[in-house]
């Protein structure tokens, strides 16, 4: 593997004006990090997790030339973890998920979920599908406290009109 300097991104909730800085885990998830880095900036409507607990995420069209393998997997993400998930339209298509019919990901055969976990005690299990391992590709190194406060506000006040964005720092 090529030795490179650390790479950092900014993760933001734009409407709330909150950002944090994350370091890419190139040594643990090199294929995923490269795919995300090459596709930046990325972002879209934000959702707060219904099953995983302390997670916010956005749903995007596929952007990698090939889907990354399940490198650096977890089912128990910790505060500050950035995770990458791949879902099919049928996996996210049931009414139990609560997505509105005009959500931007509706109708796609494949959906990429980029997530930020902001607090502890998360477990990636889904009542419809079972365990849902994610790829940990980054970790927040600055501003997690501010982001966690904004995520709690998003949980209480709602996500409508808010976006989750990932940009090179």
């Amino acid at each position: 593997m090529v030795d490179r300097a650390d790479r950092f991104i900014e993760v933001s909730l734009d409407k709330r004006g909150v950002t944090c800085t994350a370091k890419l885990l190139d040594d643990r998830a090199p294929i995923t990090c490269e795919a995300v880095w090459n596709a930046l900036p990325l972002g879209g409507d934000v959702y707060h997790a219904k099953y995983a607990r302390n997670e916010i995420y956005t749903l995007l069209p596929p952007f990698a030339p090939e889907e990354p393998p399940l490198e650096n997997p977890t089912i128990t993400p910790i505060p500050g973890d950035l995770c990458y998930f791949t879902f099919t339209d049928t996996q996210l298509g049931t009414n139990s998920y609560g997505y509105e019919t005009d959500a931007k990901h509706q109708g796609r055969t494949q959906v990429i979920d980029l997530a930020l976990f902001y607090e502890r005690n998360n477990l990636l299990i889904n009542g419809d599908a079972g365990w849902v391992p994610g790829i940990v590709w980054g970790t927040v190194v600055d501003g997690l406290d501010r982001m966690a406060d904004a995520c709690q506000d998003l949980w209480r006040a709602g996500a409508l009109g808010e976006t989750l964005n990932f940009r090179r720092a």
Side-chain angles (χ1 to χ4, degrees), residues 5-20:
D6 290 338
R7 298 190 285 182
F8 296 88
I9 63 169
E10 177 185 277
V11 182
S12 64
L13 290 170
D14 286 355
K15 183 177 172 184
R16 285 170 171 78
V18 178
T19 64
C20 60

Side-chain angles (χ1 to χ4, degrees), residues 71-109:
E71 53 184 359
N72 199 30
T74 190
I75 56 166
T76 56
I78 62 172
D81 276 353
L82 298 180
C83 289
Y84 180 109
F85 303 90
T86 303
F87 296 106
T88 66
D89 57 345
T90 56
Q91 287 175 302
L92 298 180
T94 66
N95 288 338
S96 65
Y97 293 104
Y99 296 117
E100 61 275 18
T101 56
D102 60 344
K104 294 176 185 164
H105 72 277
Q106 298 290 11
R108 294 183 190 147
T109 57

Side-chain angles (χ1 to χ4, degrees), residues 5 22 28 37 39-40 44 65 73 82 96 105 107 109 122 134 143 162:
R28 296 182 183 180
W37 184 259
L40 293 173
L82 298 180
S96 65
H105 72 277
T109 57
N122 304 294
E162 181 64 88

Side-chain angles (χ1 to χ4, degrees), residues 119-148:
E119 188 49 81
R120 41 183 269 144
N121 296 326
N122 304 294
L123 186 60
L124 301 179
I125 190 165
N126 177 295
D128 296 332
W131 297 109
V132 183
I135 300 168
V136 182
W137 59 274
T139 187
V140 175
V141 295
D142 182 55
L144 183 59
D145 54 344
R146 295 183 307 272
M147 184 60 76

